[in-house]
């Protein structure tokens, strides 16, 4: 009888213990899951805040604010691959022997007087080269030579088009445009001007940022990005100390906010 009672008591204790353990395990799992979700939410919020601070310092986009880059002067001046291949504008130079179609954007910094020299003056000079004496065949030979020179000029225009340039060619053209846009008429091509240096750094920073979005493990360029952001801030702070009006005028032209220059920069 004693053995039977002891066996029943042990069986009841095992069943109750199993039930308590099962119940306790479910509660613990639910609590752990809740704590894990709360920690994950805190990490996500910290990551969003850190990314917002990084965007503010690098691109000048305030948290919850509007990106001013598409409407700034620098964005309208620079050339990108998409913009380059979407535009198909060209200038047609008419000659009696034919026409030369000159693209709107040329490589190697060809513009202005150089463009006029290459596609308007040089074909005529090349066709008249060696024509010292005038005779019956001079007009015919000059017309044939001019037709040949016009064809050569048209092929040369296609060759030096910016569409055929590599990344370095496009970067050179954008650098030239930055220098031309942010220099003053009195001091053209002034590369030492703070506005010019800040514009070139802003363009380089944006290109490097797009590269790092594709290649996140590029540690060297990430370090270079951090260095350039602080260098741009240093230049703009110098401009603020030197001339406050010029500082306030250059920020919207670069698509930046004062908070992306002043204070602590988290990159």
């Amino acid at each position: 009888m004693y053995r039977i009672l002891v066996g029943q008591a042990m069986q009841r204790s095992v069943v109750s213990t199993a039930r308590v353990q099962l119940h306790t395990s479910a509660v613990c799992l639910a609590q752990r899951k809740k704590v894990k979700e709360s920690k994950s939410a805190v990490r996500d919020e910290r990551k969003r805040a850190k990314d917002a601070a990084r965007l503010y310092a690098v691109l000048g986009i305030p948290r919850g604010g509007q990106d001013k880059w598409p409407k700034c002067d620098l964005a309208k001046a620079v050339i990108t691959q998409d913009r380059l291949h979407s535009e198909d504008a060209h200038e047609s130079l008419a000659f009696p022997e034919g026409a030369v179609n000159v693209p709107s954007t040329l490589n190697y910094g060809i513009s202005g007087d150089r463009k006029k020299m290459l596609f308007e003056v040089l074909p005529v000079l090349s066709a008249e080269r060696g024509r010292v004496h005038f005779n019956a065949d001079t007009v015919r030979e000059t017309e044939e030579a001019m037709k040949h020179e016009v064809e050569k000029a048209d092929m040369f225009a296609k060759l030096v088009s910016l569409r055929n340039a590599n990344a370095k060619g496009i970067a050179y053209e954008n650098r030239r445009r930055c220098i031309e846009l942010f220099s003053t008429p009195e001091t053209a091509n002034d590369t030492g001007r703070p506005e010019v240096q800040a514009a070139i750094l802003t363009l380089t920073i944006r290109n490097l940022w797009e590269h790092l979005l594709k290649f996140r493990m590029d540690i060297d360029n990430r370090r270079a990005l951090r260095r350039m952001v602080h260098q741009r801030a240093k230049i703009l702070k110098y401009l603020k100390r030197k001339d406050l009006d010029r500082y306030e005028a250059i920020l919207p032209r670069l698509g930046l906010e004062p908070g992306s220059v002043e204070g602590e920069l988290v990159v």
Side-chain angles (χ1 to χ4, degrees):
M1 185 67 180
Y2 176 74
R3 292 181 178 179
I4 294 174
L5 293 175
V6 172
Q8 291 178 356
M10 291 180 62
Q11 185 177 2
R12 289 175 182 175
S13 64
V14 170
V15 173
S16 62
T17 304
R19 288 179 180 176
V20 172
Q21 288 179 351
L22 180 61
H23 177 72
T24 306
S25 300
V27 172
C28 290
L29 288 175
Q31 291 178 351
R32 290 175 184 174
K33 184 177 180 181
K34 187 176 181 180
V35 171
K36 187 176 181 180
E37 290 176 353
S38 63
K39 289 183 177 180
S40 178
V42 171
R43 284 196 302 268
D44 293 340
E45 181 62 26
R46 288 178 180 175
K47 185 177 182 301
R48 284 193 294 268
K50 191 174 181 180
D51 291 342
R54 185 179 293 111
L55 285 175
Y56 198 19
V58 177
L59 304 182
I61 305 175
R63 186 174 184 182
Q66 186 179 4
D67 187 8
K68 297 182 179 180
W69 171 254
K71 297 181 180 179
C72 70
D73 294 343
L74 182 59
K76 296 176 182 178
V78 298
I79 293 293
T80 60
Q81 287 286 354
D82 297 335
R83 179 181 172 185
L84 188 62
H85 291 281
S86 61
E87 296 179 354
D88 194 19
H90 63 273
E91 179 185 0
S92 181
L93 302 177
F95 293 93
E97 293 79 9
V100 179
N101 296 319
V102 183
S104 58
T105 52
L106 297 174
N107 200 3
Y108 309 108
I110 300 175
S111 62
D113 295 338
R114 293 181 180 179
K115 182 178 179 181
K116 183 178 180 180
M117 177 67 68
L118 286 173
F119 300 105
E120 296 183 24
V121 179
L122 187 60
V124 178
L125 294 179
S126 300
E128 294 176 353
R129 184 183 58 182
R131 305 290 189 270
V132 180
H133 303 287
F134 183 83
N135 52 39
D137 297 331
T138 303
V139 176
R140 179 180 57 80
E141 293 176 355
T142 304
E143 290 178 353
E144 292 178 356
M146 187 62 189
K147 184 178 180 181
H148 182 62
E149 292 298 330
V150 168
E151 292 177 355
K152 287 169 57 178
D154 189 61
M155 289 187 291
F156 180 71
K158 296 177 182 178
L159 182 65
V160 296
S161 174
L162 198 61
R163 287 189 174 188
N164 297 325
N166 55 8
K168 289 185 178 180
I170 297 176
Y172 176 83
E173 175 64 20
N174 285 332
R175 181 183 176 88
R176 186 190 66 81
R177 292 189 176 202
C178 288
I179 297 172
E180 181 180 0
L181 179 63
F182 291 95
S183 296
T184 58
E186 295 79 11
T187 57
N189 299 325
D190 186 6
T191 56
R193 187 175 173 84
E195 290 91 337
V196 174
Q197 296 181 9
I200 294 175
L201 279 172
T202 300
L203 184 60
T204 308
I205 286 169
R206 283 192 163 266
N207 293 334
L208 197 55
W209 177 263
E210 294 179 359
H211 169 78
L212 290 174
L213 290 178
K214 298 177 182 178
F215 305 97
R216 295 182 178 271
M217 299 303 294
D218 193 347
I219 306 300
D220 292 338
N221 279 324
R222 188 179 300 276
R223 191 179 298 113
L225 176 68
R226 186 180 299 112
R227 184 172 61 251
M228 284 189 289
V229 168
H230 287 87
Q231 183 181 358
R232 180 182 64 184
K234 185 177 180 180
I235 292 172
L236 291 175
K237 287 177 183 177
Y238 162 77
L239 182 62
K240 182 181 179 180
R241 293 194 304 269
K242 184 179 180 182
D243 194 336
L244 183 60
D245 294 335
R246 287 169 58 185
Y247 170 77
E248 294 177 348
I250 193 60
L251 288 182
R253 298 186 68 189
L254 299 178
L256 298 176
E257 291 281 344
S260 58
V261 177
E262 305 167 2
E264 184 179 0
L265 301 179
V266 180
V267 183

